[in-house]
Amino acid sequence: MERRDALKSLAMVAGGLTLGNSSLHALEGAGNSKKVWTVAHITDVHIRPDYDAPNRFKNSLRQIVKKHKPDFFLNGGDSIYDASYNSVVRDRVHQLWNIWDDCWNSLGKKYEIYSCIGNHDPWWKAPNQEDEMYGKPYVGKRLNMPHRYFRVQKGNWHFIMLDGNNKGIMLDEEQMQWLEKELALIPADDYVALMSHYPVLSATVQLQGGGHSDFRKLKDLFYQYKDKVRLFLSGHNHLLDETIYNKVTYCSSGAVSGHWWEPGSDESAGPGWFKQTPPGYTILKLYANGSVEHDYHAHGF
């Protein structure tokens, strides 16, 4: 299936949001609570050699660091342009990941980055499954992931990276059991932000698909731990959207690459936009009391 066919022709930006540097909804008023983390959420970078994408991505990273001074990065997947099509060969996969490394290393390895796997990251056309570059394990190696799903603790915030790249876009049973146990282990008065490449609850999913098919089970699980779960981050659809359900903010964070770094199409609202969403990134501010602020920034490159 061609990329343009996979992303259908409908798009939506949540009502009342101004694109660019506008502040989005906070789950709870931060009040006098101490801000503990500033986090940059980047997704759908789709790095590639053409359209000057490497330099534009480096400029975006420099902008994020200079303007927002994040404590660390979260990467929502589809880091490279594409390894999933039948025509992709080994040298192309190496090329794309090497460009990714060069761009990220332009920051001088000063920042931690925690990633999940996107649908376009794995190379499935390796000669066989024993090939070191086959599938998701190689992606995890290139992104320095300890496992295809994992948890990282930062103070009283826990960040859980998920792998929805399974048949039907869902968590496999092993992963779901792991997630249930992890949420149970997290202490009271600690808070959780989760990330998958795919949305769980989102207006963009309602309009064009591409979301977790196990969304009912996930939203029920989050409600079971409603005093802990605060935020769910995703990408995939290249569209900006915010959905709040049972006090969990589901944030679909557009795409760093916008229209895959290309000029756009007749449906693009601006140069390089994917429909009504400009290329950009999200800055998160997380507070000690579990409140969340998030702000989408069009990087303009």
Side-chain angles (χ1 to χ4, degrees):
M1 179 180 293
E2 293 297 325
R3 183 189 304 274
R4 304 301 181 267
D5 294 335
L7 289 172
K8 299 178 183 177
S9 61
L10 294 173
M12 177 177 181
V13 176
L17 301 186
T18 302
L19 296 174
N21 296 335
S22 62
S23 180
L24 306 186
H25 178 83
L27 176 64
E28 301 172 0
N32 295 322
S33 182
K34 178 183 177 182
K35 179 177 70 70
V36 290
W37 302 112
T38 298
V39 184
H41 180 217
I42 60 173
T43 188
D44 295 86
V45 174
H46 287 285
I47 199 62
R48 58 195 298 191
D50 33 11
Y51 296 101
D52 199 30
N55 286 328
R56 293 162 72 189
F57 181 38
K58 289 177 184 178
N59 286 338
S60 183
L61 290 173
R62 284 193 288 267
Q63 175 179 306
I64 292 171
V65 168
K66 182 177 179 180
K67 185 174 182 179
H68 306 288
K69 297 178 175 58
D71 296 298
F72 56 93
F73 286 73
L74 295 175
N75 169 34
D78 279 2
S79 302
I80 60 174
Y81 180 60
D82 204 315
S84 65
Y85 288 167
N86 291 344
S87 59
V88 178
V89 298
R90 187 183 303 273
D91 286 348
R92 173 66 167 177
V93 181
H94 275 302
Q95 178 193 41
L96 294 176
W97 282 117
N98 289 340
I99 297 173
W100 169 269
D101 290 342
D102 177 65
C103 290
W104 180 248
N105 290 339
S106 70
L107 293 182
K109 299 183 179 180
K110 296 179 181 178
Y111 292 89
E112 295 176 324
I113 183 169
Y114 303 103
S115 302
C116 63
I117 300 172
N119 56 300
H120 290 299
D121 292 325
W123 187 43
W124 301 112
K125 285 300 177 178
N128 55 68
Q129 295 187 18
E130 286 68 44
D131 191 294
E132 66 170 353
M133 292 179 64
Y134 175 82
K136 292 187 280 189
Y138 182 73
V139 179
K141 178 181 178 181
R142 295 306 300 247
L143 292 174
N144 296 313
M145 297 169 61
H147 195 265
R148 63 187 177 93
Y149 52 86
F150 60 99
R151 172 165 66 99
V152 173
Q153 182 175 356
K154 299 280 189 180
N156 72 329
W157 276 89
H158 301 254
F159 300 87
I160 296 178
M161 272 50 73
L162 298 174
D163 173 23
N165 296 284
N166 304 290
K167 185 177 181 180
I169 307 181
M170 62 188 299
L171 304 188
D172 51 279
E173 186 59 31
E174 172 190 285
Q175 185 177 183
M176 183 66 77
Q177 292 178 6
W178 171 86
L179 177 59
E180 292 170 351
K181 292 177 181 178
E182 290 296 303
L183 290 175
L185 287 172
I186 292 172
D189 299 323
D190 280 13
Y191 302 102
V192 179
L194 302 101
M195 181 173 67
S196 172
H197 181 62
Y198 308 94
V200 169
L201 298 180
S202 169
T204 69
V205 171
Q206 182 182 5
L207 292 171
Q208 67 177 49
H212 272 264
S213 62
D214 51 355
F215 67 92
R216 289 185 177 87
K217 189 170 184 178
L218 287 171
K219 63 92 176 172
D220 287 344
L221 178 61
F222 299 160
Y223 186 73
Q224 182 181 347
Y225 295 100
K226 59 184 179 295
D227 294 331
K228 301 178 184 179
V229 177
R230 288 291 185 263
L231 179 67
F232 193 99
L233 299 166
S234 64
H236 186 58
N237 287 338
H238 291 221
L239 298 171
L240 176 64
D241 175 51
E242 175 197 32
T243 299
I244 301 170
Y245 187 73
N246 287 338
K247 294 187 177 181
V248 178
T249 296
Y250 297 84
C251 180
S252 182
S253 294
V256 171
S257 64
H259 203 277
W260 299 274
W261 302 105
E262 299 169 15
S265 69
D266 292 341
E267 296 180 281
S268 298
W273 293 35
F274 182 68
K275 302 186 186 299
Q276 290 83 38
T277 298
Y281 55 88
T282 292
I283 297 298
L284 306 164
K285 294 181 179 179
L286 307 179
Y287 292 83
N289 69 349
S291 60
V292 178
E293 295 177 3
H294 58 102
D295 187 1
Y296 188 76
H297 296 259
H299 57 56
F301 301 116

